[in-house]
């Protein structure tokens, strides 16, 4: 289907919560296409904003960031408040900017490995799982290493946490849609 049709399905699923934006998690393994899908949805849905878990977790921990996401972003969003959140490591390491969710946003898309984890389920209105052929994900990860976005040791340490985490969480079982992250950009393919 086209992105417009999928966006309509997303909006129908998450609904219109009273006094706050809907919250959608876009979850999946590393290099599955989560960021791409989240960006395409945000471009298609007026008033949608993307929050990347990688920004929340920056220099904090690979997957141990639930309290930061809930306290810094999801709780204020649920109160209908604008968000301008600086995770603690941003101040410690001099990172500029903030995680922003403007007042009046329609949809907050939380994107990243673990975005739909059990610990935040009560804060979410829907989950999309992005699955990709392992060979394609491996090529994408290799390209990131080659481009210097990460190095082999950091990647291997990440995978040592991600693989058992994803296997334990089984987030795809709670998702209302499972999307093929290897489909051509003009298409959304549901699995």
């Amino acid at each position: 289907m086209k992105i417009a049709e999928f966006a309509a399905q997303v909006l129908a699923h998450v609904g219109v919560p009273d006094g706050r934006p809907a919250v959608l998690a876009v979850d999946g393994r590393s290099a599955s296409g989560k960021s791409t899908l989240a960006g395409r949805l945000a471009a298609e849905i007026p008033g949608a904003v993307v929050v990347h878990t990688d920004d929340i977790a920056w220099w904090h921990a690979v997957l141990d960031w639930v309290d930061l996401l809930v306290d810094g972003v999801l709780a204020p969003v649920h109160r209908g408040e604008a968000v301008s959140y600086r995770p603690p490591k941003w101040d410690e390491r001099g990172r500029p900017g903030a995680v922003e969710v403007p007042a009046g946003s329609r949809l907050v898309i939380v994107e990243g490995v673990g975005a739909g984890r059990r610990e935040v389920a009560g804060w979410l209105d829907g989950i999309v799982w992005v699955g990709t052929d392992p060979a394609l994900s491996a090529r994408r990860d290799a390209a990131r290493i080659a481009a210097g976005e990460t190095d082999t040791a950091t990647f291997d340490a990440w995978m040592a946490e991600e693989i058992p985490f994803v296997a334990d969480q089984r987030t795809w079982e709670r998702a209302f849609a499972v999307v093929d992250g290897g489909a051509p950009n003009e298409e959304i393919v549901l699995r």
Side-chain angles (χ1 to χ4, degrees), residues 13 15 38 49 52 55 66 76 81 85 92-93 99 102-103 155 162 176:
H13 180 81
V49 61
H52 302 280
D55 289 335
V66 171
E81 300 171 0
Y85 177 60
E92 289 175 23
R93 300 185 74 84
V99 176
F155 175 77
E162 179 182 306
F176 76 90

Side-chain angles (χ1 to χ4, degrees), residues 99-177:
V99 176
E100 304 276 353
V101 178
S105 295
R106 178 179 189 182
L107 176 67
V108 176
I109 303 167
V110 180
E111 171 279 323
V113 177
R117 66 198 305 159
R118 288 183 205 99
E119 297 89 342
V120 297
W123 298 96
L124 304 175
D125 299 299
I127 300 170
V128 172
W129 179 263
V130 182
T132 303
D133 176 73
L136 175 57
S137 291
R139 287 193 303 274
R140 289 174 176 170
D141 283 328
R144 288 177 175 167
I145 292 169
E149 292 177 37
T150 189
D151 58 50
T152 302
T154 302
F155 175 77
D156 289 346
W158 175 279
M159 286 296 109
E161 289 190 46
E162 179 182 306
I163 291 168
F165 174 84
V166 169
D168 175 63
Q169 287 283 326
R170 304 181 63 83
T171 304
W172 58 88
E173 293 176 349
R174 297 185 306 282
F176 76 90

Side-chain angles (χ1 to χ4, degrees), residues 56-118:
I56 303 295
W58 188 77
W59 285 97
H60 178 74
V62 173
L63 293 163
D64 184 19
W65 40 255
V66 171
D67 292 345
L68 299 179
L69 178 65
V70 170
D71 297 343
V73 178
L74 297 178
V77 162
H78 271 252
R79 292 189 299 265
E81 300 171 0
V83 172
S84 183
Y85 177 60
R86 292 184 50 78
K89 295 296 182 185
W90 287 34
D91 289 331
E92 289 175 23
R93 300 185 74 84
R95 181 175 172 171
V99 176
E100 304 276 353
V101 178
S105 295
R106 178 179 189 182
L107 176 67
V108 176
I109 303 167
V110 180
E111 171 279 323
V113 177
R117 66 198 305 159
R118 288 183 205 99

